[in-house]
Amino acid sequence: MLTHSQIWKAVDRLAERHGLSPSGLAKRAGLDATTFNRSKRSTRDGRQRWPSTESIAKIIAATGTGLDDFMQMVDGTAPAGRAIPLIGLAKAGTGGFFDDAGFPAGGSWEEIMFPDVGDEHAYALEITGDSMMPLYRDGDIVVVSPTATVRRGDRVIVKTREGEVLAKELKRRTAKTIELRSLNPDHEDRLFQEQELAFIARILWASQ
């Protein structure tokens, strides 16, 4: 029998997997930022409040999570997971690790076990440097989806056609240009012409 505690824990687990707070998960799904706040989970007189079916459907869609995977979060069982490529951020720019679509290619990498994120092309990158401080530190692992929709405010991995690989935040995107923000104020924002980039992919999860 599905319980109130189980469904809310699943929401929290889904947010954590994608490096988000419950509020951040709600905003990514196009919901009010307070939808999953703890104050919304029960009334003042102690009556339990449940998230709506619509809100659950939206967070599943927004994170590219399979229904079976979400149900495993509900019952607390660990997802079976699968091995995904682990590529060093510096090595990623040397060639041979990605095809023209930004999918991992070649097979000359290490692997880590990670829960299924709904993208067979997902891969992990080990962050190098401090341009994403304080959010991502040198040595942190991020899981990237080349097929996920990228929106303003998303953390992304970008590779230029010259081989530079960057971890940034998408600040603005037009038909011709892509503007990227460095979270570390010591590093400048970057502006690229669309044709200067080999690919841009969304970060789904990050170790902390």
Side-chain angles (χ1 to χ4, degrees), residues 3 7 16 29 34 42-43 51 67-68 73 76 80 87 95 133 138 149 159 161-162 170 199 201 206:
T3 69
I7 194 68
E16 183 178 357
T34 66
S42 61
T43 63
L67 181 59
D68 289 344
M73 296 182 201
I87 304 167
M133 286 279 284
D138 188 74
T149 301
K159 183 177 181 182
R161 297 197 181 278
E162 294 183 351
L170 181 61
F199 66 79

Side-chain angles (χ1 to χ4, degrees), residues 29-177:
L31 301 168
D32 185 276
T34 66
T35 300
F36 302 132
N37 283 6
R38 295 193 179 279
S39 61
K40 294 290 186 75
R41 302 182 186 191
S42 61
T43 63
R44 291 183 179 180
D45 59 6
R47 183 170 55 86
Q48 294 177 339
R49 284 178 173 168
W50 293 64
S52 70
T53 304
E54 180 183 14
S55 66
I56 295 298
K58 286 185 175 181
I59 60 174
I60 288 175
T63 56
T65 303
L67 181 59
D68 289 344
D69 194 11
F70 183 76
M71 291 309 298
Q72 287 177 315
M73 296 182 201
V74 170
D75 63 25
T77 59
R82 63 183 177 90
I84 63 173
L86 172 62
I87 304 167
L89 192 64
K91 292 181 179 179
T94 61
F97 286 100
F98 303 101
D99 62 19
D100 292 341
F103 299 156
S108 54
W109 50 60
E110 298 179 28
E111 292 183 332
I112 61 171
M113 291 300 298
F114 194 79
D116 189 3
V117 294
D119 182 352
E120 63 178 320
H121 300 292
Y123 57 91
L125 284 175
E126 184 173 359
I127 296 295
T128 304
D130 63 356
S131 69
M132 290 295 280
M133 286 279 284
L135 186 64
Y136 305 137
R137 296 172 172 81
D138 188 74
D140 280 352
I141 303 296
V142 298
V143 173
V144 177
S145 171
T147 62
T149 301
V150 178
R151 302 180 179 90
R152 176 185 289 187
D154 284 342
R155 276 72 176 186
V156 295
I157 295 295
V158 170
K159 183 177 181 182
T160 70
R161 297 197 181 278
E162 294 183 351
E164 187 178 12
V165 179
L166 308 166
K168 301 289 183 183
E169 180 180 293
L170 181 61
K171 184 175 181 179
R172 187 168 182 264
R173 188 174 194 174
T174 70
K176 295 182 179 180
T177 63

Side-chain angles (χ1 to χ4, degrees), residues 1 6 10 18 20 42 55 61 78 80-81 92 102 108-109 122 142 147 150 167 181 192 194-195 198 200 203:
M1 180 177 173
Q6 283 177 319
H18 293 278
L20 300 166
S42 61
S55 66
S108 54
W109 50 60
V142 298
T147 62
V150 178
R181 184 168 75 95
F192 293 97
E194 187 81 33
Q195 64 268 23
I200 179 170
I203 296 173

Side-chain angles (χ1 to χ4, degrees), residues 15-27:
E16 183 178 357
R17 173 183 290 187
H18 293 278
L20 300 166
S21 64
S23 177
L25 177 62
K27 288 191 288 186

